[in-house]
DNA sequence: CCTTGTGAAGATATTCACAGCA
DNA sequence: TGCTGTGAATATCTTCACAAGG
C-alpha cells in the first residue's frame, strides 16, 4: 500500500538505506536501526508504515527486502544519473564524493565552460563543455556547483534541455518553472543556524 | 520581546538577511521580502513577530533595524569565526566561498594533516596542522570537510579542544556529546529526496 | 488605502502507549 | 517475551483572514 510518503520520512529513508546496506544480519529491529540512524524506534516504525514495509513482530525487518523497498521509494529503480555542472573546487568535491555508487547514483556528466577545464579528467570523468549538456540521455538529477553569478543561467539552461530536478549549491535562490524541483544547499544558512544556537548558549540569561 | 525563535524561522532569517542587506530602499514590505526570499508574506510576518521586529503598518519594516535584529538573532554580534578542517577539494570549496564576510562570518583557521597541504595558502589563508587546532581563540563554528573515515576522529578532536558547533559535510553521522550541536549536510540525502520526487513524477500512475 | 500583527484553523511531524502477533 | 503496527495525544509549522494602525 505505497501511498504518498511524507518528505520528512523520505529524508530519513536516505539514512536508513545507508545503515541497512551496511548491516550484516538478515533482519534489523526498529530500535537498532534507529540508534544507527540517529532517530528513535517509534519514528522508524512510523516511517516503515509509510513505506509499507513488512516487519516481523518479535524479530524486525528483513534487511534485503528493506533495501529494495527503500530504493524503490527513493526512485532508484536501477541507478540514478547525476550531472555536475561546474568543475571548480566545488564540482571536484562533488565528483570526488565517494559514496555515489553506494548510495544509488552514477555520475553521467561533468560540465564546465572554462577552456582550461574542458577536456581534463576529474575523478575518472572527462569534463565536457556546457554546450553539450543536451547530449545527456537518462533522467538525471543535476547539481549546480558554479559561482553565484552563473547559477541562474545554468539553471535556465538545465531547464531548457529538460532537467526537472536540480540541487543548487550556489548561495542564491534560482528561479525555475514550478514543474522543476530545486533543493538548495546553503552553507551560510547552516552556519547561521549553528551561530544562532551558539548565541543563545552564550547568553545563558534567556 | 525576543523569546525562543523556532528553528524553521531561524533558517529563513538567513535568507531574509541576504535579501535585506542587498535591498536599496529604507523599508521593505512583508510581500516584497517574501518574493525575494522565496517565501510568502504571512510567513514573513509571523517570522518577524518571533523576532520582535517593529514594522510600520502601511509601510513595512525598516531595513536597517531589520538587519541589526536578524544579525543579533543569528548570534552575529560582531563576526562569527569559522574553522575549516580539511584542505582537499571540499575544504577549498568551503574556504573559497565568496559570501563569508557578507553573511557575517570570517575564516579564522584552515587545518589539515597532509604534509603536502600544511603550509600552503588557500584563498588567502595559510593551512595549519591539525595539531594546532587548540590555538584558535574566539568561539567559532567548525566545518568538517575531510573524508568520511576521518570525520569521527576530527569531530572528537574538535569537541576536545572546546568546539560546541559543528557543520559536518562528511556523509556519516558523527557522534558527539549532547552539549555539542552538529548539523549534517549530506549530498546523497538531498539527491535521494530529488530522486524520490522524480520517481513519483515518472510514475504518473499513483 | 496599504500593510502589519495575530488568533484561529489547518497541515505536518513526532512521540506515546498499548494491543496484537510471531 | 520481544517487537511490530497504529490510533490517539502532542508538538511544531504554515496558512488564513481580518481587525487595527499609520
Amino acid at each position: 500500500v505505497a501511498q504518498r510518503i511524507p518528505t520528512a520520512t523520505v529524508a530519513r529513508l536516505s539514512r536508513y538505506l545507508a545503515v541497512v546496506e551496511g548491516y550484516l544480519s538478515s533482519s534489523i529491529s526498529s530500535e537498532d536501526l534507529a540508534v544507527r540512524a540517529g532517530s528513535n524506534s517509534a519514528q522508524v516504525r512510523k516511517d516503515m508504515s509509510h513505506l509499507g514495509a513488512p516487519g516481523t513482530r518479535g524479530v524486525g525487518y528483513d534487511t534485503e527486502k528493506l533495501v529494495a523497498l527503500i530504493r524503490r521509494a527513493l526512485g532508484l529503480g536501477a541507478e540514478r544519473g547525476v550531472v555536475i555542472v561546474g568543475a571548480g573546487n566545488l564540482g571536484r568535491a562533488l565528483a570526488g564524493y565517494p559514496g555515489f555508487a553506494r548510495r544509488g547514483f552514477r555520475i553521467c556528466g561533468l560540465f564546465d565552460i572554462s577552456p582550461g577545464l574542458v577536456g581534463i579528467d576529474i575523478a575518472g570523468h572527462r569534463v565536457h563543455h556546457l554546450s553539450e549538456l543536451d547530449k545527456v540521455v537518462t533522467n538525471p538529477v543535476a547539481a549546480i556547483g558554479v559561482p553565484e553569478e552563473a547559477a541562474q543561467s545554468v539553471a535556465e539552461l538545465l531547464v531548457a534541455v529538460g532537467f526537472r530536478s536540480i540541487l543548487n549549491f550556489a548561495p542564491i535562490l534560482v528561479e525555475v518553472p514550478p514543474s522543476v524541483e530545486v533543493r538548495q544547499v546553503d552553507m551560510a544558512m547552516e552556519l547561521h543556524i549553528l551561530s544562532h544556537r551558539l548565541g543563545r548558549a552564550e547568553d545563558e540569561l534567556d
Side-chain angles (χ1 to χ4, degrees), chain A:
Chain A
V1 207
Q3 330 82 320
R4 186 179 250 93
I5 301 175
T7 31
T9 292
V10 174
R12 283 186 297 267
L13 287 182
S14 176
R15 215 155 269 159
Y16 298 162
L17 183 59
V19 170
V20 179
E21 286 191 322
Y23 200 74
L24 296 170
S25 173
S26 67
S27 73
I28 186 168
S29 71
S30 57
E31 175 63 23
D32 217 353
L33 177 45
V35 169
R36 288 167 159 69
S39 182
N40 68 75
S41 60
Q43 185 76 83
V44 167
R45 291 198 299 280
K46 256 289 188 293
D47 290 337
M48 291 306 156
S49 82
H50 289 124
L51 246 195
T56 310
R57 294 166 200 236
V59 180
Y61 302 89
D62 181 291
T63 49
E64 213 163 311
K65 281 180 194 154
L66 205 47
V67 168
L69 267 170
I70 297 177
R71 288 185 63 100
R72 196 150 73 86
L74 294 180
L76 305 171
E79 238 178 1
R80 178 73 68 179
V82 179
V83 157
I84 297 172
V85 182
N89 284 322
L90 182 51
R92 282 158 208 244
L94 297 178
Y97 177 75
F100 264 122
R102 193 172 9 111
R103 303 188 70 176
F105 297 99
R106 183 178 50 81
I107 295 178
C108 65
L110 196 48
F111 297 89
D112 207 301
I113 51 165
S114 162
L117 294 174
V118 173
I120 70 170
D121 272 30
I122 289 177
H125 298 272
R126 175 68 47 91
V127 178
H128 296 281
H129 192 273
L130 195 55
S131 58
E132 300 187 61
L133 189 60
D134 55 358
K135 304 269 173 64
V136 174
V137 284
T138 55
N139 202 348
V141 176
I144 297 182
V146 302
E148 177 165 11
E149 319 81 65
Q152 178 62 42
S153 62
V154 166
E156 284 165 17
L157 179 58
L158 286 165
V159 170
V161 302
F163 282 81
R164 336 212 69 210
S165 284
I166 298 175
L167 182 52
N168 179 31
F169 288 88
I172 62 152
L173 213 61
V174 297
E175 291 194 40
V176 296
S179 61
V180 178
E181 289 279 352
V182 176
R183 284 188 69 84
Q184 190 77 26
V185 174
D186 186 345
M187 179 178 52
M189 182 166 122
E190 303 296 335
L191 290 174
H192 279 148
I193 294 171
L194 286 168
S195 175
H196 161 78
R197 303 210 184 128
L198 260 188
R200 292 197 65 75
E202 281 161 5
D203 290 355
E204 290 302 73
L205 32 83
D206 259 334

